[in-house]
């Protein structure tokens, strides 16, 4: 670690984990799993019921993270066992992802159960992965190293998803009998991809030193968690913003996880949905940079509100779409604002918090982002069932984005906009 070359090696090994697990985000959370879940495992159910089942599965996974992550993170911080905790969640989750391929047709409950467990592993491992950043690079390089990891994740997830898409569209090229066989095989490949590219982190990234023995981890973790919550209560604008952020980022997460299932419910072909997700992926990266520049000109809060306004418009349009070209256009619009809203939220939050407690406050902020999609997916599914038409599911997104925007406008932004 002391030599620059050794440090670069560690950084590359750490960043490759982003490359490894981003395949789960693209192939499972957003891409192929919602299609297979509706067309294969829930084929006998109405589309609205299949959406409800998937929504409950997403919500349950997020709820589990809400319950375990704060204390688990605090305990890992004190004992220094962040890498071990990451691998303890990541490798079983990768194995569960591969097991999707063995779930028989019609067994939606088994597919949903495996999905919940794998998603919990994915989100929990990400918490520990983020926390390793401070241990593998000096403070002056955190932004660059973090950006490097993000870039590798975007590239790795996109390339794996593109390969899986080609297999689904042209299964014969890979010796597969059908698109369904290709989609099931994609889950095996995703699990292997995740596990194999996690090995550099497992062998080359050192475990950070802890401040407490394992026997003191639980009481120390509880004290640290209570301290963080008390500091949040003492900074009212921060608390209001975090509530606003939780609501609208839940809407963003719901859009990512339920868009493909929604399009399938409306009768769009799976090829159309796959192409739409690819559009979102490739529009998102440059759009996030452009929206960040816009936020510098008009202010972070105005930029976020602009993005949320566009999201509301997208949700309204989504309730009435009829043709594939509309789905493509909506996918491009989502790509325009998705990364920008997330980036501007982070910079706006940085201007609200006390600098001397940045690590503590950002730990809570990152936790909220990780368990986004707690309310949205179940509500998305419920509205479709209650009203008897999946198009009413869009109301869930509208409510989340509007509630988040209204709360955001109540945040005292003098400091947040000045910094």
């Amino acid at each position: 670690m002391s030599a620059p070359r050794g440090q670069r090696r560690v950084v590359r090994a750490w960043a490759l984990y982003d490359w490894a697990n981003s395949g789960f985000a693209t192939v499972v959370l957003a891409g192929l799993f919602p299609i297979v879940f509706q067309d294969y495992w829930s084929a006998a159910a109405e589309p609205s019921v299949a959406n409800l089942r998937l929504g409950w599965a997403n919500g349950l996974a997020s709820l589990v993270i809400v319950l375990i992550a704060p204390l688990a993170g605090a305990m890992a911080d004190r004992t220094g066992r962040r890498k071990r905790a990451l691998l303890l969640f990541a490798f079983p989750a990768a194995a569960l992802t591969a097991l999707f391929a063995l779930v028989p047709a019609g067994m939606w409950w088994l597919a949903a159960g495996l999905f919940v467990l794998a998603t919990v592993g994915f989100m929990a491992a990400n918490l520990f992965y983020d926390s390793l950043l401070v241990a593998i690079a000096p403070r002056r390089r955190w932004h660059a190293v973090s950006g490097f990891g993000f870039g590798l994740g975007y590239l790795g997830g996109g390339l794996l998803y593109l390969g899986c898409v080609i297999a689904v569209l042209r299964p014969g090229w890979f010796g597969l009998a059908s698109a369904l066989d290709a989609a099931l095989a994609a889950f095996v490949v995703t699990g292997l991809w995740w596990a194999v590219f996690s090995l550099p982190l497992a062998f080359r990234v050192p475990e950070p030193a802890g401040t407490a023995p394992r026997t003191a981890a639980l009481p120390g973790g509880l004290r640290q968690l209570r301290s963080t919550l008390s500091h949040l209560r003492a900074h009212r604008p921060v608390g209001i913003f975090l509530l606003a952020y939780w609501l609208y980022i839940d809407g963003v997460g719901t859009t990512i996880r339920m868009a493909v299932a929604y399009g399938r419910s409306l009768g769009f072909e799976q090829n159309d949905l796959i192409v739409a997700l690819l559009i979102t992926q490739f529009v998102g990266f440059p759009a996030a940079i452009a929206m960040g520049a816009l936020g510098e000109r008009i202010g972070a809060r105005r930029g976020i509100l602009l993005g949320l306004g566009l999201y509301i418009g997208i949700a309204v349009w989504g309730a009435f779409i009829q043709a594939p070209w509309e789905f493509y256009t909506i996918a491009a619009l989502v790509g325009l604002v998705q990364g920008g809203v997330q980036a501007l939220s982070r910079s706006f939050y940085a201007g609200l918090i006390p600098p001397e407690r940045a690590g503590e406050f950002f730990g809570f902020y990152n936790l909220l982002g990780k368990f986004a999609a707690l309310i949205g997916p179940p509500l998305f599914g419920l509205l479709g069932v209650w009203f008897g038409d999946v198009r009413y599911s869009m109301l869930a997104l509208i409510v989340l984005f509007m509630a988040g925007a209204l709360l955001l406008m109540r945040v005292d932004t003098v400091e947040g906009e000045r910094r």
Side-chain angles (χ1 to χ4, degrees):
M1 284 293 291
S2 59
R5 183 177 179 182
Q7 189 178 87
R8 287 197 297 269
R9 189 181 182 190
V10 169
V11 165
R12 286 195 296 268
W14 174 83
L16 268 175
Y17 183 76
D18 220 322
W19 171 288
N21 77 346
S22 291
F24 183 86
T26 54
V27 175
V28 177
L29 291 183
L32 297 181
F33 186 88
I35 295 175
V36 179
F37 186 81
Q38 186 169 125
D39 290 1
Y40 183 61
W41 292 313
S42 291
E46 291 293 322
S48 59
V49 173
N51 279 353
L52 178 59
R53 291 169 177 172
L54 184 58
W56 279 121
N58 274 292
L60 179 58
S62 295
L63 179 61
V64 172
I65 286 296
V66 172
L67 296 175
I68 70 171
L71 182 56
M75 292 171 63
D77 281 346
R78 293 184 62 81
T79 62
R81 297 176 182 272
R82 300 174 192 169
K83 186 180 79 169
R84 181 174 297 184
L86 184 158
L87 299 175
L88 199 60
F89 281 103
F91 282 123
L96 290 169
T97 302
L99 288 178
F100 291 160
L102 301 180
V103 178
M107 298 189 68
W108 66 267
W109 53 271
L110 180 56
L114 291 175
F115 175 82
V116 169
L117 294 174
T119 304
V120 167
F122 167 78
M123 293 190 291
N126 270 353
L127 291 172
F128 300 112
Y129 169 71
D130 290 344
S131 70
L132 280 172
L133 174 63
V134 300
I136 57 99
R139 187 182 187 93
R140 68 181 184 278
R141 298 197 61 231
W142 285 354
H143 295 307
V145 171
S146 178
F148 178 55
F150 176 82
L152 275 185
Y154 203 93
L155 180 62
L159 288 176
L160 177 61
Y161 182 64
L162 180 60
C164 293
V165 166
I166 293 172
V168 169
L169 297 180
R170 296 289 185 271
W173 292 0
F174 300 87
L176 298 168
S178 65
L180 174 62
D181 289 338
L184 294 175
F187 299 135
V188 177
V189 173
T190 300
L192 289 173
W193 176 284
W194 189 354
V196 169
F197 287 109
S198 297
L199 293 177
L201 182 144
F203 290 109
R204 294 181 181 174
V205 175
E207 189 77 272
T211 60
R214 277 184 290 179
T215 54
L218 180 57
L222 287 170
R223 284 195 299 271
Q224 181 173 323
L225 182 58
R226 285 196 297 268
S227 174
T228 301
L229 293 174
S230 66
H231 288 139
L232 284 174
R233 287 194 295 269
H235 295 81
R236 188 170 181 272
V238 176
I240 295 174
F241 172 78
L242 286 174
L243 181 56
Y245 174 71
W246 180 43
L247 289 169
Y248 69 71
I249 209 66
D250 199 310
V252 172
T254 301
T255 303
I256 294 170
R257 298 185 185 205
M258 302 302 294
V260 168
Y262 177 72
R264 198 72 184 102
S265 300
L266 295 179
F268 292 128
E269 296 296 327
Q270 68 175 22
N271 292 356
D272 294 328
L273 304 175
I274 289 170
V275 170
L277 182 56
L278 284 173
I279 291 172
T280 300
Q281 286 285 111
F282 289 109
V283 170
F285 184 66
I289 297 173
M291 196 166 175
L294 178 64
E296 289 185 349
R297 294 179 61 87
I298 67 174
R301 182 171 72 162
R302 290 190 184 94
I304 297 170
L305 290 173
L306 179 64
L308 296 180
L310 186 53
Y311 261 122
I312 291 170
I314 289 169
V316 172
W317 186 5
F320 299 96
I321 59 172
Q322 301 291 336
W325 71 265
E326 294 179 279
F327 206 80
Y328 296 156
T329 305
I330 286 176
L333 291 175
V334 169
L336 283 175
V337 295
Q338 181 174 292
V341 166
Q342 293 170 323
L344 291 178
S345 296
R346 180 171 58 185
S347 60
F348 181 79
Y349 183 68
L352 292 174
I353 62 177
E356 68 275 9
R357 295 190 178 276
E360 180 181 323
F361 276 79
F362 262 109
F364 205 81
Y365 172 87
N366 288 333
L367 175 63
L368 287 176
K370 289 294 185 293
F371 68 69
L374 174 63
I375 301 174
L379 183 59
F380 189 95
L382 282 170
L383 288 173
V385 172
W386 286 344
F387 289 100
D389 189 336
V390 294
R391 294 180 184 273
Y392 283 96
S393 298
M394 289 291 108
L395 288 172
L397 300 180
I398 295 171
V399 168
L400 289 170
F401 290 132
M402 289 189 67
L406 290 172
L407 277 173
L408 181 61
M409 289 189 287
R410 295 187 58 190
V411 177
D412 181 0
T413 61
V414 175
E415 284 296 305
E417 293 288 1
R418 188 177 65 196
R419 291 179 182 165

